[in-house]
Amino acid sequence: MDPGRPAFTVDLLERYAAKGRGVISCMSAGNDVILLGTSKGWVTRYDFGMGDSIDYDLSVGRPGEQSIHRIFVDPGGSHCITTVVGAAGADTFYMHAKWSKPRILPRLKGLVVNTVAWNRQHITEASTKEVILGTDNGQLFELAVDEKEKKEKYVKFLFELAELPEAFMDLQMETTSVLNGMRFYVMAVTPTRLYSFTGIGSLETVFSTYLERAVHFMELPGDIPNSELHFYIKQRRAMHFAWLSGAGIYHGELNFGSQHSSSNGDENFVENKALLDYSKLTENSGSVKPSSLAVSEFHFLLLIGNKVKVVNRINEQIVEELQFDQTAEAIPRGILGLCSDATAGLFYAYDQNSIFQVSVNDEGRDMWKVYLDMKEYTASLAHCRDSLQRDQVYLAQAEEALASRDYLRAASFYAKINYILSFEEITLKFISASEQDALRTFLLRKLDNLTKDDKCQITMISTWATELYLDKINRLLLDDDIASDGNSTDYQSIIKEFRAFLSDSKDVLDEVTTMKLLESYGRVEELVFFAGLKEQYEIVVHHYIQQGEAKKALEVLQKPGVPADLQYKFAPELIMLDAYETVESWMITSNLNPRKLIPAMMRYSGEPHAKNETHEVIKYLEYCVHRLHNEDPGVHNLLLSLYAKQEDDSALLRFLQCKFGKGLENGPDFFYDPKYALRLCLKEKRMRACVHIYSMMAMHEEAVALALQVDTELAMAEADKVEDDEDLRKKLWLMIAKHVIELEKGTKRENIRKAIAFLKETDGLLKIEDILPFFPDFALIDDFKEAICSSLEDYNKQIDQLKQEMNDATHGADNIRKDINALAQRYAIIDRDEDCGVCKRKILTVGRDYLMASSYTSVAQMAPFYVFPCGHGFHAQCLIAHVTRCTDEAQAEYILDLQKQITLLGGETRRESNGSFAEDSISSITPADKLRTQLDDAIAGECPFCGELMIREISLPFISSEEAQQVSSWEIRPHNLGGQRSFSLPA
């Protein structure tokens, strides 16, 4: 919008609008439709949307001169009500935009209608809904008309002024929906009063309540030629009103939403009421009363003589005077009136001949300045259009605060200024006034108003603000009242605020510069706090360790972003500071490598501990080994060494006996170094542990020898562990026996008795003769009598058992010989028509084709053959060929090799029989017979049709690889289609 263009402009819309049918007496507009009445009873409808006009003669059939008294059109431009006044009295007509002629409303005959209020929220093109009419005799009526019925639905009497009968000059109506129905708000004006009506239900119900209660009104006495009431409508809702009264323009804002749902709510729904005195409309001391009024969003249009003065309703200043291009004959009477078209947002003025259009051109563009002059800063900001305008508002607020020495408030406003004052100018104001707190506030607010793209400016301002915070803290510490303890409320508040600032600005503050600032001011705690924000965890942890606060240091190390290397670095100091908390922290940290914690654990373990104190390192190592299933040898070795140093070796033995790799496939039973474990246990004199380690290393002799120094039962248990080496086991038991005998050097008979009892524990492994060498030469035989006799009896039993086994073996050998002889005499009967299973020819066929070179001897020129117990028979050559073809390559080569060797030995001994059987005699002497036996085993071990060879053929394909070429020859290949000719068959 051009800022130099006036907010209100006047254009001639129609010069001779009355069309010679008298002069214009009244006019109304809505939705680009204008209806005007003339002094001769004519109504002209101008539809500027459609570009046409229609004339209606309402004087037809009425005697004498007729004049249009008032005319009203609804906001949609469809419904029109007009009153004609003449010698015969008054008549009221209704006309619709679709009708060709108006219809008289007979129930209103004789009543002069001065004003009409439309139900803007519910009116439609087809129906007027509720319409209120105000008459010249102070009565209100309700009217409803449907376009289709061509007549009024009803006309109801609503209200009459009884206390001060006056004519109703203007009416306005508004409705809102509530839970229990519809609430009506009605305002009506007479020459001296403004009446307010409100209630829920129908209009008839609402006005009936005023029979029992007083009507709310505002009285402004004074002489006014035409009392008018106007609502400013925005989006079909009334926002504010203005009453052209005798005392001035009474105006205010309308708040219909604040009413309760009760039927007897407060009628005074007007807020921010004011009265514009007419004296403000002229420069001299006198006053001129307007003859007509129109209301825009921010201005009043007041018709005074031939001019329209535009008055800002906020500051009540005249902003413009509108002039009209009237004809010479119209000038004496001047402009007759104003009307508005709320739907189109236009205003109209009319004289006796012409219609003028008053257009509104961004009337709110300077309202920010109006509100600013009135120091209504919030409203001014709401009407600002750009940053420069807002800057001027902020500057005015800042300077006002600065003048009243409210520096902090001034700082907040200065921080919002972007253009009209530079950053340096503003900061110098606070520096010159020595207002460090206000300067800090300005910098902080300035940071809030900067965008992310201003990175350099944000960093510099944030650094400056940091130094101002530190300066403020130091100044508070220098105060005598709090220097001693630092527990002042102001001090704690600024510390809290500073830390919040560091948290918010951590990403924009330069790390090195900020840390140097904090260090130079001696703010160690804030330095640590900022280091934590910047994830400089090493500084934070080191500080807490120096302060002896291990728990806080561990909390820092447990944060997700802390590298594990810091855990290892500070582990020695932390575990010495608080072993329990440190180990608990290690146990809940998932990404630790226990091996890297070994130096810290060894340092802790090297310190003396109370006898009953829980060893935290052992607890952590047990957690690693048993819960985390750690396989690191270093971890296992350390745990073993700590167990070895304990007085009670039960934990050590349990650890040695545990098989840690049992869950792994082919995993080891343990992960510690057994040699190191053995040296350590020997050094710490943990003999039972050493025995276990020896046994584990399969050094059973050493294990038993060491166990005999500790406990005989332990040695016996170790000896029993050897199961696969009988000689070693016996040797170990002899070691134990010798120890037992040498140990019992008391009474000789008692010594011998214990030795005999020991023999029984060996479960027969040792005999009396095994332990006799351990006794002295002069021991009496009587003491061993029972044991020797028992041993001899055992030998006799063994001898008898051996004899029985020899007899059984001899008997078995005889049976085998008999079976061999029986096999040599076995035979099979073959039918002379029996076919070979392969070639399907007779097995007993005579012919040279089936003679095998010199492999077999034929009888009476018969070919050699095989017969199986299942009944299948084959020529020898056919069987060899079939088996060679069906078996694997290696077996086939073996069979062919045997056949070749037999052929080479063909000059040697031959068979005397005419055939061979599957179960041939196993007694053969010559090499040829041995080869034939091997060949028989290779081809005739089982029937090829009933045995494994046939079963294996199930998995073979029907078409072998050798037959692939033959199969491909049967494929149907398409020929060259280009040379083909097509023939059409006769139908």
Side-chain angles (χ1 to χ4, degrees), residues 556-574:
V556 174
L557 291 174
Q558 287 172 10
K559 291 182 179 180
V562 179
D565 291 341
L566 290 183
Q567 290 270 16
Y568 309 134
K569 180 175 182 178
F570 291 105
E573 296 171 318
L574 287 171

Side-chain angles (χ1 to χ4, degrees), residues 486-652:
N487 291 326
S488 163
T489 304
D490 292 341
Y491 176 78
Q492 294 299 329
S493 177
I494 196 67
I495 290 293
K496 185 177 180 181
E497 183 182 336
F498 181 41
R499 292 195 176 191
F501 168 75
L502 290 176
S503 298
D504 295 338
S505 306
K506 63 179 180 178
D507 296 327
V508 297
L509 284 170
D510 181 69
E511 183 178 328
V512 177
T513 305
T514 306
M515 286 190 172
K516 285 182 178 180
L517 268 177
L518 294 169
E519 186 178 1
S520 65
Y521 277 84
R523 302 305 303 175
V524 178
E525 292 184 359
E526 283 68 36
L527 174 62
V528 172
F529 177 78
F530 183 71
L533 294 175
K534 298 298 289 184
E535 299 183 354
Q536 294 292 336
Y537 299 114
E538 185 171 354
I539 297 174
V540 181
V541 175
H542 180 73
H543 169 74
Y544 284 135
I545 291 176
Q546 294 297 320
Q547 298 296 319
E549 297 178 347
K551 193 168 184 178
K552 290 186 178 180
L554 291 168
E555 288 175 357
V556 174
L557 291 174
Q558 287 172 10
K559 291 182 179 180
V562 179
D565 291 341
L566 290 183
Q567 290 270 16
Y568 309 134
K569 180 175 182 178
F570 291 105
E573 296 171 318
L574 287 171
I575 198 170
M576 295 305 296
L577 191 61
D578 191 336
Y580 173 79
E581 291 292 345
T582 302
V583 168
E584 289 295 322
S585 173
W586 290 351
M587 290 169 66
I588 63 175
T589 305
S590 59
N591 60 341
L592 285 182
N593 183 359
R595 183 181 184 85
K596 296 184 178 181
L597 296 172
I598 289 177
M601 291 188 284
M602 293 185 67
R603 178 180 176 184
Y604 172 79
S605 303
E607 298 293 326
H609 300 282
K611 184 175 181 180
N612 296 326
E613 180 185 356
T614 301
H615 202 295
E616 298 299 332
V617 171
I618 291 179
K619 182 174 74 173
Y620 176 67
L621 291 173
E622 288 176 342
Y623 173 80
C624 294
V625 169
H626 297 294
R627 295 286 297 277
L628 302 181
H629 306 292
N630 187 277
E631 301 176 2
D632 194 300
V635 174
H636 286 254
N637 287 340
L638 179 58
L639 180 56
L640 187 144
S641 68
L642 295 177
Y643 279 145
K645 293 176 182 179
Q646 291 183 328
E647 293 184 4
D648 185 5
D649 64 351
S650 57
L652 174 61

Side-chain angles (χ1 to χ4, degrees), residues 1-2 5-11 232-233 294-301 308 310 319-320 322 339-348 356-367 385:
M1 187 65 65
D2 183 7
R5 185 180 181 186
F8 294 86
T9 56
V10 177
D11 297 294
Y232 169 70
I233 309 300
V295 181
S296 69
E297 184 174 6
F298 299 107
H299 297 87
F300 300 133
L301 281 72
V308 171
V310 180
V319 295
E320 289 184 43
L322 305 180
C339 69
S340 61
D341 183 349
T343 305
L346 297 171
F347 299 94
Y348 300 98
F356 301 92
Q357 177 178 301
V358 180
S359 302
V360 183
N361 306 305
D362 191 19
E363 60 172 322
R365 62 181 178 232
D366 292 326
M367 287 307 298
R385 304 289 182 85

